[in-house]
């Protein structure tokens, strides 16, 4: 919902915490981790990556929630207020 | 010559007066517990206490601490004898990569010492200037609340 890297000539131009705003303790909602222990058939011994999941799933969940609320699926993340407003205009 | 107190000990600093406090602490006083995150006053990783107030040590020159009391993470506890807060972080998983941790601890320490409340909302508000990229804050807040509750017993 917040983080949008902007690139120019292959270089990230908003590479400071002043212009690439990340959530603070006040912005972060409570969360609960549920481990689903289901082996992945293509991984060695059923292994699958877990490191990036906090990046992968919430984005899709937010997109689904926005679709649920507005009826519009916005295909690009992050769902910044600007992007949502533009999509609904 | 700048005279200041660091973690209860009188120190003098003869280097460049506009050296950043964080560099003076880390390089001249060999107190490397204080970490630099952003170097531009946004993240709070470098938080130390100056006369009890949390400040970003990357933003102030050492000359501004003339005659003042500076407290760093090294003043909280030792590996053998952790402070209540540090023990709370250890018990509740309040640290992941650990870069934000010294700053979180110093800010939380100042908050609790100043009589700040230890409910979830107050702790989150107190820590709002300290960014953490790893934990999602939940376990940090839990650690502080647990430590504070333990203290009151
Ligand atoms: S390093 Fe000082 S605020 Fe980030
Ligand atoms: S533990 Fe890594 S930034 Fe907080």
């Amino acid at each position: 919902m917040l983080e949008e890297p902007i690139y120019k000539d292959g270089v990230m131009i908003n590479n400071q915490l002043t212009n690439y705003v990340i959530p603070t303790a006040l912005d972060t909602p409570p969360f609960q981790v549920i481990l689903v222990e289901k082996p992945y058939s293509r991984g060695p011994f059923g292994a699958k990556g877990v490191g990036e999941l906090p990046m992968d799933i919430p984005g899709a969940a937010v997109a689904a929630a926005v679709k649920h609320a507005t009826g519009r699926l916005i295909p690009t993340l992050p769902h910044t207020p600007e992007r949502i407003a533009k999509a609904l205009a | 010559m700048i005279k200041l107190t660091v973690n209860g000990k009188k120190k003098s600093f003869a280097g460049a007066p506009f050296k950043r406090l964080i560099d003076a602490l880390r390089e001249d006083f060999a107190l490397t517990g204080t970490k630099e995150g952003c170097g531009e006053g946004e993240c709070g990783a470098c938080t130390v206490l100056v006369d009890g107030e949390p400040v970003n040590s990357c933003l102030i020159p050492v000359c501004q601490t003339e005659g003042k009391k500076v407290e760093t993470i090294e003043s909280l506890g030792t590996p053998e004898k952790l402070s209540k807060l540090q023990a709370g972080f250890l018990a509740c998983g309040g640290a992941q990569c650990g870069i934000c941790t010294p700053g979180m601890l110093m800010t939380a320490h100042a908050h609790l010492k100043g009589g700040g409340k230890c409910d979830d909302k107050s702790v989150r508000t107190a820590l709002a200037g300290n960014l953490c990229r790893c934990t999602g804050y939940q376990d940090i807040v839990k650690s502080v609340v647990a430590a504070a509750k333990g203290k009151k017993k």
Side-chain angles (χ1 to χ4, degrees):
Chain A
M1 280 143 67
L2 288 171
E3 298 173 36
E4 176 137 54
I6 302 167
Y7 290 94
K8 197 176 165 202
D9 301 328
V11 177
M12 182 174 172
I13 53 171
N14 57 338
N15 61 352
Q16 292 168 298
L17 289 167
T18 25
N19 46 26
Y20 184 84
V21 176
I22 70 171
T24 72
L26 284 175
D27 305 316
T28 313
F31 49 87
Q32 190 193 353
V33 178
I34 304 170
L35 294 178
V36 182
E37 298 193 31
K38 193 159 182 288
Y40 175 53
S41 61
R42 305 240 195 121
F45 308 108
K48 57 187 158 191
V50 291
E52 290 87 14
L53 292 185
M55 302 230 326
D56 297 342
I57 298 174
V62 168
V66 169
K67 176 166 184 229
H68 183 75
T70 65
R72 191 79 58 88
L73 180 71
I74 304 171
T76 314
L77 292 172
H79 278 33
T80 56
E82 293 85 351
R83 180 163 284 140
I84 295 174
K86 221 167 155 191
L88 297 183
Chain B
M1 183 79 83
I2 295 153
K3 291 202 186 312
L4 66 159
T5 310
V6 181
N7 297 341
K9 292 201 190 85
K10 293 233 175 325
K11 299 266 184 192
S12 45
F13 176 81
F18 278 97
K19 190 163 186 170
R20 302 185 306 169
L21 177 59
I22 185 170
D23 296 331
L25 288 170
R26 291 178 54 89
E27 295 167 9
D28 299 278
F29 299 137
L31 295 169
T32 51
T34 302
K35 303 287 180 246
E36 176 166 4
C38 61
E40 54 194 35
E42 289 288 338
C43 75
C46 63
T47 305
V48 299
L49 307 188
V50 175
D51 284 349
E53 285 292 318
V55 302
N56 290 335
S57 63
C58 71
L59 281 190
I60 67 166
V62 56
C63 62
Q64 268 189 20
T65 62
E66 163 73 36
K68 302 209 161 140
K69 289 198 188 80
V70 178
E71 288 164 76
T72 70
I73 183 69
E74 283 87 352
S75 71
L76 280 195
T78 62
E80 294 73 38
K81 199 173 179 312
L82 297 176
S83 74
K84 282 252 162 64
L85 259 181
Q86 288 170 317
F89 271 64
L90 191 60
C92 302
Q96 277 187 29
C97 79
I99 287 283
C100 71
T101 315
M104 289 286 180
L105 283 164
M106 292 317 282
T107 307
H109 175 64
H111 173 67
L112 296 178
K113 225 173 98 188
K117 292 214 203 94
C118 61
D119 59 286
D120 190 272
K121 184 80 201 290
S122 314
V123 173
R124 281 182 186 269
T125 307
L127 294 179
N130 289 74
L131 298 177
C132 175
R133 199 42 164 164
C134 305
T135 62
Y137 304 103
Q138 187 158 293
D139 288 351
I140 293 179
V141 175
K142 231 198 264 166
S143 308
V144 176
V145 172
K149 293 229 166 102
K151 228 175 227 170
K152 285 212 173 126
K153 270 188 206 149

